[in-house]
Amino acid sequence: MSQKQMKEAFVSNHNGTSVLEITEGLCLPALCILCRGLLIIVSQHLCCSSHTWRTRFFIDFAFLIVPLVTTLTIFASFVLLEYLIVIIFGAGLLYETYCRRTCYARMPVGKILEKFLKINIESEYIPAISCFRVINSAFTAVAILAVDFPLFPRRFAKTELYGTGAMDFGVGGFIFGTAMVCPEVRRKYIKGSRLYLTKSLYSVWPLVFLGVGRLVIIKSIGYQEHLTEYGVHWNFFFTLIVVKLITSLLLIIFPLNKSWIVAISITVFYQLALDFTPLKRLILYGSDGSGTRVGLLNANREGISSTLGYVAIHMAGVQTGSYVLKKRSHIKDWIKVACCILLTAIGFFISLYIVQVNVEVASRRMANLAFCIWIVASCLILLSSLLLGDIILNFAKFLIKGATVPCSWKIIQSPAANRKYSESLVSEAERKEPTLCLITAMNRNQLIFFLLSNVTTGLVNLLVDTLHSSTLWALFVLNLYMFTNCLVIYVLHLQDKTVKFW
């Protein structure tokens, strides 16, 4: 076998892992982000001098990126131990914050909680959505390179036919995260107007360029491909183009608050088509039943057919975004939102179990009903975890006068009973959001980070024999790769640069 064939075989024919294991790994970064915020608050209280950009970068990298690398590699079988360590560390930081509180020092915890539940926060910006998008980007960036090393568990690789692998979440999570902040949700332009249609069409041209560019480069250098992922010519960017165009048309026809009906309708009818028409046979075995790749449809049957599932996921993301982005200022309202999303996620996981037992097991290749339910459920439980984490972080900020944490809500009003403290909450430092934040940097240039990760993944594969790399060497390469990508994005952010193609 050639090196290319060996690498293709190494990432093919896998059956995935349990939904529970993927969910455990997915929600760990939410706890790590909470610990990162608590550490910043404690360090601000103990140290008079503010952090330099280097210090803040290393803190963010250590709490966001390193846990993802270890969870997907050497600690893959010890996720619960990671949870225990992170929870103990976070609880210790929260207790330290409470003991060193500079506000309500002589008040019992019950009274403090009462006052906390009455505060207002600046809700125009939802940090949890930014964190969601960044976690998905970082997770994908780590996984696309780690999968080529032996230390990456094969059960986390993309599944061949049925099952759920950790890498199967990437595209669905990206589409869901993008949908939550799409122009339609943010009311960026008037629905139904000529400008709306023009913008929708104009926004896909960079994706056309990237999709065609990737296709030409991959074919010209003979880079390894997982054929059953999208097909011969299709790729992630083409899926995004089709999803964008279809959902733009759907959102012209249907109101935002009915997006969930559209999502359910598409997945149900698509599943019925899979079960009662030759569509499933065509996707899995081609038009001749023997896996032919002759003709454009046969060559790209997985990529073309799965777009329907991703359209449904996008519409579910639109529904979620329109709910989360509603204007709320009271912290109590956001607690209700987080709990509502969490309960909805649990409901989806129950539905997933029922569908997998009675209808069909999740299949990334077809993006069937079970796959769509799994993606939405996983996205919702991650989002609810991040919202609850940010609420806890704001409680810690509430206890320490002048505490600021980048990429978290700002407290803009406290109870009227303590007006002096209310004024102190809105300090000058709080009015100006700190720019020293890797999460903000990655969210600002998400597409550039994704492209950079793909380019550096290709370079590493061309320069390094990944198949025969030792564990220590693989860990070094993975961390250096992520460090380089994150540093480039961080420097762009410090220079106040947002790279856009449109």
Side-chain angles (χ1 to χ4, degrees):
M1 293 177 71
S2 67
Q3 186 77 356
K4 177 187 175 183
Q5 290 173 326
M6 288 173 64
K7 288 191 172 185
E8 287 175 347
F10 192 58
V11 300
S12 302
N13 300 312
H14 300 297
N15 299 316
T17 184
S18 68
V19 170
L20 179 60
E21 185 176 23
I22 298 171
T23 306
E24 288 171 352
L26 197 61
C27 292
L28 182 64
L31 275 176
C32 293
I33 289 173
L34 172 59
C35 289
R36 164 243 188 202
L38 293 172
L39 179 64
I40 290 172
I41 291 172
V42 171
S43 63
Q44 284 175 349
H45 182 64
L46 295 177
C47 307
C48 296
S49 58
S50 59
H51 293 144
T52 64
W53 71 267
R54 295 177 184 84
T55 304
R56 190 61 63 80
F57 175 77
F58 279 108
I59 290 174
D60 288 352
F61 187 83
F63 279 88
L64 179 64
I65 305 300
V66 174
L68 277 173
V69 173
T70 56
T71 301
L72 289 172
T73 53
I74 55 173
F75 289 159
S77 300
F78 306 99
V79 177
L80 293 180
L81 178 61
E82 284 188 285
Y83 267 97
L84 181 63
I85 294 170
V86 173
I87 289 171
I88 291 173
F89 182 66
L93 288 172
L94 187 59
Y95 179 73
E96 184 72 14
T97 304
Y98 177 76
C99 291
R100 294 178 178 273
R101 64 190 186 277
T102 57
C103 306
Y104 308 112
R106 297 183 180 181
M107 191 175 289
V109 64
K111 292 288 185 181
I112 295 175
L113 286 171
E114 278 184 28
K115 290 187 175 293
F116 173 68
L117 292 175
K118 294 176 182 177
I119 67 168
N120 289 346
I121 56 173
E122 184 182 346
S123 60
E124 290 182 7
Y125 166 68
I126 314 298
I129 293 180
S130 297
C131 291
F132 176 96
R133 287 157 54 83
V134 168
I135 288 171
N136 189 67
S137 295
F139 168 84
T140 303
V142 172
I144 60 175
L145 179 59
V147 70
D148 296 317
F149 289 94
L151 86 166
F152 184 84
R154 295 300 97 188
R155 66 184 185 275
F156 287 171
K158 290 184 177 180
T159 54
E160 192 66 26
L161 183 54
Y162 289 104
T164 50
M167 289 188 70
D168 292 331
F169 175 78
V171 176
F174 184 91
I175 287 175
F176 189 94
T178 303
M180 284 195 291
V181 293
C182 67
E184 293 87 352
V185 172
R186 290 181 288 134
R187 318 278 181 175
K188 200 169 181 181
Y189 31 75
I190 301 171
K191 177 181 165 183
S193 67
R194 184 179 296 179
L195 179 62
Y196 173 81
L197 293 171
T198 305
K199 283 277 188 179
S200 296
L201 292 172
Y202 185 61
S203 65
V204 303
W205 80 260
L207 298 175
V208 174
F209 174 77
L210 293 171
V212 173
R214 187 184 190 281
L215 173 63
V216 171
I217 292 170
I218 292 296
K219 298 299 181 183
S220 61
I221 66 174
Y223 194 77
Q224 68 266 16
E225 297 177 88
H226 190 180
L227 192 62
T228 58
E229 183 178 357
Y230 293 109
V232 178
H233 312 103
W234 202 269
N235 58 51
F236 168 70
F237 297 108
F238 295 145
T239 295
L240 289 185
I241 293 166
V242 177
V243 169
K244 174 64 178 175
L245 293 176
I246 293 176
T247 54
S248 295
L249 291 173
L250 288 173
L251 290 170
I252 291 174
I253 302 169
F254 300 98
L256 284 176
N257 61 357
K258 303 299 181 185
S259 298
W260 66 277
I261 297 176
V262 179
I264 292 173
S265 301
I266 290 172
T267 50
V268 169
F269 282 116
Y270 178 48
Q271 186 63 49
L272 290 172
L274 289 172
D275 289 340
F276 298 105
T277 70
L279 180 60
K280 184 188 295 185
R281 182 177 175 274
L282 173 66
I283 296 170
L284 299 181
Y285 306 111
S287 57
D288 65 351
S290 60
T292 180
R293 293 288 174 178
V294 177
L296 194 63
L297 178 61
N298 278 313
N300 304 288
R301 55 182 183 265
E302 295 90 352
I304 294 170
S305 61
S306 64
T307 52
L308 280 175
Y310 290 122
V311 166
I313 291 169
H314 187 281
M315 297 303 288
V318 168
Q319 182 69 53
T320 304
S322 61
Y323 171 66
V324 174
L325 290 175
K326 283 182 181 177
K327 192 166 184 179
R328 302 175 182 88
S329 57
H330 295 291
I331 196 74
K332 288 174 71 174
D333 294 336
W334 283 106
I335 294 173
K336 291 177 183 177
V337 169
C339 292
C340 179
I341 293 175
L342 179 60
L343 290 173
T344 306
I346 293 170
F348 270 104
F349 278 118
I350 294 170
S351 301
L352 174 63
Y353 175 78
I354 295 169
V355 169
Q356 293 207 114
V357 169
N358 297 290
V359 181
E360 188 176 37
V361 177
S363 171
R364 170 202 52 81
R365 195 166 166 182
M366 294 182 283
N368 60 359
L369 176 61
F371 177 81
C372 294
I373 293 173
W374 170 58
I375 292 294
V376 174
S378 301
C379 289
L380 291 178
I381 202 162
L382 174 57
L383 182 61
S384 64
S385 301
L386 290 166
L387 284 168
L388 290 170
D390 211 13
I391 290 166
I392 296 170
L393 192 57
N394 269 271
F395 177 69
K397 289 163 63 177
F398 181 71
L399 299 174
I400 304 291
K401 180 180 177 180
T404 60
V405 178
C407 201
S408 71
W409 275 315
K410 295 182 179 68
I411 300 173
I412 57 174
Q413 183 184 338
S414 73
N418 196 338
R419 193 165 301 277
K420 184 177 179 181
Y421 174 54
S422 174
E423 293 170 0
S424 72
L425 282 171
V426 193
S427 61
E428 187 63 29
E430 189 77 18
R431 289 191 187 98
K432 294 183 179 179
E433 182 179 359
T435 57
L436 305 179
C437 178
L438 180 59
I439 296 172
T440 305
M442 290 174 66
N443 186 58
R444 180 176 184 173
N445 284 302
Q446 191 177 19
L447 182 58
I448 293 299
F449 178 78
F450 179 75
L451 292 175
L452 184 62
S453 300
N454 274 268
V455 171
T456 48
T457 294
L459 289 175
V460 170
N461 269 284
L462 293 174
L463 298 173
V464 177
D465 182 9
T466 57
L467 293 180
H468 302 97
S469 296
S470 66
T471 298
L472 285 177
W473 174 244
L475 279 175
F476 172 76
V477 171
L478 283 170
N479 280 289
L480 179 62
Y481 150 83
M482 288 302 295
F483 184 87
T484 304
N485 293 340
C486 291
L487 185 60
V488 170
I489 296 300
Y490 197 73
V491 170
L492 280 175
H493 177 61
L494 291 178
Q495 298 294 323
D496 200 25
K497 304 291 185 184
T498 302
V499 182
K500 279 195 172 185
F501 300 96
W502 62 91

